[in-house]
Amino acid sequence: MLKSSEFDDAAYAAQYKAVEECFLNYKSRMSFSGARFNYFKEFRPKPSDVVLLSPLKCGSTWTQQIMHGLRSRGNMDFDDINRMAPVLELALDDGYDIHGDQPYSPRCFKVHLCWEDRPKGHKYIIVIRDPKDSLVSLHEFLQGWLVPDDTNLDIFAKVFYVHHSKDVFPSVHDAIASWWPHRLDPDTLWLHYEDLKAHLPAVVELIAEFMGFDTGDRELLDIATKQASYEFMKAHEDKFRTELRGVSTATNKGPSKVNKGVGNRKHLLTEATNLCMDEDWKKFVQPVTGFSNYSDMRDHINREMGRPWAVLK
């Protein structure tokens, strides 16, 4: 068991049990099974549909905003981005008709699934992130909502990531391994969270081209880029919150998904947690990709795909 020096054995065991109970509650409300799964299986795609595939806390809400901004020319007349680009696994909870038209074209959806479980017959945008940064972001996101405010990061890692992540949504490691063979498919656009942050205008243009919009329309690209900025999304952050399904609160709104997403957070992880995640990479990702770490894999993909920032590097 991962052990933090700030805990004695009894305190560590008590918080571990408390966080595990939080997870079991989370799992019971978010598990992709039963009626949710059956509703999802009824989905019949249109060839023009664009589905965003992303693990948790890897930039999917950010990318949703870009996709919607491009197709709507910046229309912000919505109360929840998930109403504009629904999460297919949770569409039944949201009361969303996955068979109907959307206000704008193409229809856009989001899923947190591995490649083999994805809805078939679409165009796909894949967004991934350094697994260690994703873990820290998930820990910060869920504190005060599904786990206590003072939840130790190592305990969180042990319960949510190391042992249980596959029970609800796939880990970043699982997602990368499943999607890697399809990164060059013509119906697929592979992106990295870190490139959204460092090269936002260029990534917006890539998404626009992939979705079939005129990249010569600089006004459209400028609108989508501006509305995907931290400053703009923070000013409208109530549109980018998660509903607390099954939780009774004054607003039924969860934590904001808008943050600056500062990278290189792995220094917040203990050596034991870092080593555990490195082992998962070696076990699940390296045999498929041939790369021993995320940074080298990302650099290779950007060069392989001729991304302009990779050429300039």
Side-chain angles (χ1 to χ4, degrees):
M1 179 180 289
L2 300 175
K3 182 68 183 293
S4 172
S5 60
E6 67 182 89
F7 287 92
D8 59 29
D9 289 340
Y12 185 95
Q15 186 168 111
Y16 185 97
K17 182 178 180 181
V19 174
E20 192 162 45
E21 289 176 353
C22 290
F23 170 79
L24 292 174
N25 179 41
Y26 174 73
K27 177 181 176 181
S28 69
R29 289 189 286 111
M30 302 298 284
S31 182
F32 183 40
S33 61
R36 282 178 181 153
F37 180 77
N38 291 335
Y39 189 61
F40 170 83
K41 294 301 287 184
E42 294 174 4
F43 181 58
R44 295 295 179 267
K46 297 179 179 180
S48 59
D49 290 349
V50 182
V51 175
L52 172 61
L53 302 175
S54 179
L56 296 175
K57 303 310 294 177
C58 288
S60 61
T61 300
W62 196 358
T63 309
Q64 277 176 295
Q65 170 67 353
I66 295 170
M67 294 164 66
H68 179 66
L70 287 167
R71 68 175 183 169
S72 71
R73 210 169 188 87
N75 186 290
M76 291 293 295
D77 187 19
F78 59 88
D79 61 355
D80 182 348
I81 190 64
N82 284 337
R83 300 287 183 188
M84 297 293 100
V87 182
L88 279 172
E89 309 102 290
L90 301 175
L92 182 64
D93 302 64
D94 293 338
Y96 189 87
D97 178 11
I98 58 177
H99 309 294
D101 292 332
Q102 294 180 2
Y104 302 96
S105 183
R107 298 195 307 175
C108 295
F109 301 93
K110 178 169 82 171
V111 296
H112 299 297
L113 298 172
C114 286
W115 185 264
E116 56 270 21
D117 300 318
R118 78 198 190 285
K120 312 302 191 291
H122 305 269
K123 299 175 74 173
Y124 304 98
I125 296 178
I126 294 169
V127 185
I128 59 167
R129 184 181 189 180
D130 186 309
K132 295 177 181 179
D133 286 335
S134 173
L135 171 63
V136 176
S137 181
L138 185 62
H139 171 253
E140 294 174 353
F141 178 67
L142 294 181
Q143 283 197 97
W145 175 23
L146 292 176
V147 298
D149 280 324
D150 61 349
T151 297
N152 174 268
L153 178 55
D154 288 320
I155 292 176
F156 179 88
K158 184 69 174 180
V159 176
F160 277 80
Y161 189 92
V162 178
H163 275 324
H164 298 302
S165 64
K166 300 179 185 65
D167 291 339
V168 181
F169 296 115
S171 71
V172 182
H173 294 136
D174 292 324
I176 291 173
S178 76
W179 300 338
W180 174 263
H182 307 281
R183 67 194 185 280
L184 299 178
D185 290 359
D187 62 357
T188 299
L189 178 66
W190 180 298
L191 301 172
H192 306 98
Y193 176 95
E194 295 81 5
D195 296 323
L196 276 162
K197 186 169 179 60
H199 311 287
L200 181 59
V203 174
V204 169
E205 185 167 343
L206 285 176
I207 295 173
E209 181 178 23
F210 181 74
M211 291 181 69
F213 296 107
D214 179 10
T215 56
D217 186 346
R218 304 313 300 181
E219 180 182 57
L220 174 63
L221 298 182
D222 289 345
I223 290 171
T225 301
K226 176 183 177 181
Q227 293 189 349
S229 68
Y230 169 77
E231 292 77 14
F232 183 90
M233 293 183 68
K234 188 67 176 176
H236 298 83
E237 67 178 342
D238 280 348
K239 299 178 184 291
F240 308 106
R241 292 183 183 272
T242 296
E243 290 187 5
L244 298 177
R245 297 177 180 85
V247 177
S248 179
T249 67
T251 64
N252 198 41
K253 286 288 189 175
S256 170
K257 295 182 179 180
V258 182
N259 61 70
K260 289 190 175 181
V262 178
N264 299 318
R265 297 188 185 190
K266 56 183 69 71
H267 69 279
L268 297 175
L269 303 173
T270 63
E271 181 179 0
T273 303
N274 266 299
L275 288 172
C276 192
M277 295 189 73
D278 289 341
E279 286 302 312
D280 261 14
W281 182 278
K282 291 177 182 177
K283 180 178 180 181
F284 298 110
V285 182
Q286 188 168 351
V288 178
T289 67
F291 294 98
S292 62
N293 60 74
Y294 175 82
S295 180
D296 287 349
M297 184 198 73
R298 174 188 161 210
D299 286 345
H300 168 83
I301 290 174
N302 282 336
R303 291 194 301 271
E304 181 180 47
M305 297 183 176
R307 302 281 162 80
W309 54 88
V311 174
L312 293 172
K313 189 171 178 179

